[in-house]
Amino acid sequence: MGFNDLDLSERLLIARRGTAYLSQRLAELTDDELDGPTLLEGWARRHLVAHIGYNAAALCRLMDWAATGVETPMYSSTEQRAQEIAEGATLNPPALRNLFSHTVARLDEKWRQLPETAWQAQVRTAQGRLVPAEETAWMRTREVWIHAVDLDNGGRFGDFPPIILDSLLDDIVGMWRKKDLGAGIALEVEGREAVRVNGDAETTHTVRGDLAGVVRWAAGRGAVGVTGGELRPPRWL
């Protein structure tokens, strides 16, 4: 069973748990530590916090689209998205924290207010995919749990619910296959049969470890608890 096989209420609960987990990581950072680095090259923590806040605002726009039928894209352009993050990162710490808490609360309220019939309305992701509005639960779940680790102050993939790890692995391998990336790579989770990224290609590199370690490596967040992690994984988003 994957994340999207759960009832919507359960999916939203996991997204909210991830938000709480991320909020705790953020609360543990001092204002000065917001200037520190993240696991994302070129981004300080303040960039990441701005991104997470504006991502919630962008998902609110998709909720409005689903509720009204009026097309409301997540972002007007990739340039607008990048500029928004860059400007948000210049906010003073209290304003930055307020941006995060305010947009998180707005998204949760949009979720609570969306009519049941609107969850199947088609909306478009930033990557251009048409998906039902309920897909925002997974989009946000993926965002908050992974970025809690990216803050680099104690977040661990090992803290993720197993269903998120399994769904992330499916998501990542699926993206690689769609983009024709990762030929020759096999992922071997302890106690499971190895997953070959491209079944037709001979395996030339195997990454082995526990589920959390393999997913962390595949997501591009470093080799922790795996063997074969010296290879840089393909991009997936």
Side-chain angles (χ1 to χ4, degrees), residues 206-217:
T206 300
V207 177
R208 296 183 179 89
D210 62 14
L211 179 59
V214 170
V215 173
R216 179 177 182 136
W217 176 85

Side-chain angles (χ1 to χ4, degrees), residues 33-235:
E33 287 173 334
L34 291 174
D35 294 321
T38 66
L39 297 184
L40 301 176
E41 188 175 351
W43 271 12
R45 286 170 174 144
R46 53 176 51 254
H47 290 91
L48 184 57
V49 175
H51 162 67
I52 297 165
Y54 288 128
N55 172 265
L59 292 178
C60 286
R61 290 190 279 274
L62 293 189
M63 292 293 94
D64 290 341
W65 182 348
T68 65
V70 177
E71 183 169 346
T72 315
M74 291 182 70
Y75 307 100
S76 61
S77 66
T78 54
E79 293 77 17
Q80 177 259 328
R81 175 178 176 269
Q83 182 179 355
E84 190 174 58
I85 294 169
E87 292 176 355
T90 67
L91 294 171
N92 63 46
L96 190 59
R97 294 179 192 273
N98 184 62
L99 167 68
F100 171 82
S101 58
H102 179 68
T103 53
V104 162
R106 273 182 55 209
L107 177 58
D108 198 62
E109 186 65 18
K110 298 280 186 185
W111 277 342
R112 293 181 189 281
Q113 291 183 348
L114 192 69
E116 186 174 347
T117 54
W119 282 103
Q120 294 303 316
Q122 294 290 297
V123 296
R124 193 180 305 278
T125 71
Q127 290 76 34
R129 293 186 303 122
L130 275 175
V131 298
E134 66 178 0
E135 182 74 9
T136 58
W138 173 241
M139 292 164 67
R140 189 59 176 174
T141 293
R142 189 173 62 191
E143 193 87 13
V144 291
W145 284 98
I146 292 180
H147 285 329
V149 175
D150 289 333
L151 283 174
D152 199 23
N153 70 322
R156 304 183 313 118
F157 276 74
D159 292 337
F160 294 14
I163 196 167
I164 295 181
L165 294 173
D166 283 326
S167 297
L168 278 173
L169 194 59
D170 288 344
D171 218 11
I172 293 168
V173 172
M175 292 281 193
W176 287 347
R177 288 171 175 163
K178 184 177 180 181
K179 298 177 180 180
D180 200 22
L181 299 172
I185 295 177
L187 305 178
E188 192 172 303
V189 174
E190 292 171 358
R192 301 187 185 184
E193 186 176 340
V195 174
R196 297 168 67 187
V197 176
N198 185 331
D200 296 328
E202 180 183 355
T203 298
T204 57
H205 191 91
T206 300
V207 177
R208 296 183 179 89
D210 62 14
L211 179 59
V214 170
V215 173
R216 179 177 182 136
W217 176 85
R221 267 61 181 188
V224 177
V226 296
T227 60
E230 66 277 359
L231 180 73
R232 190 182 184 96
R235 286 185 63 88

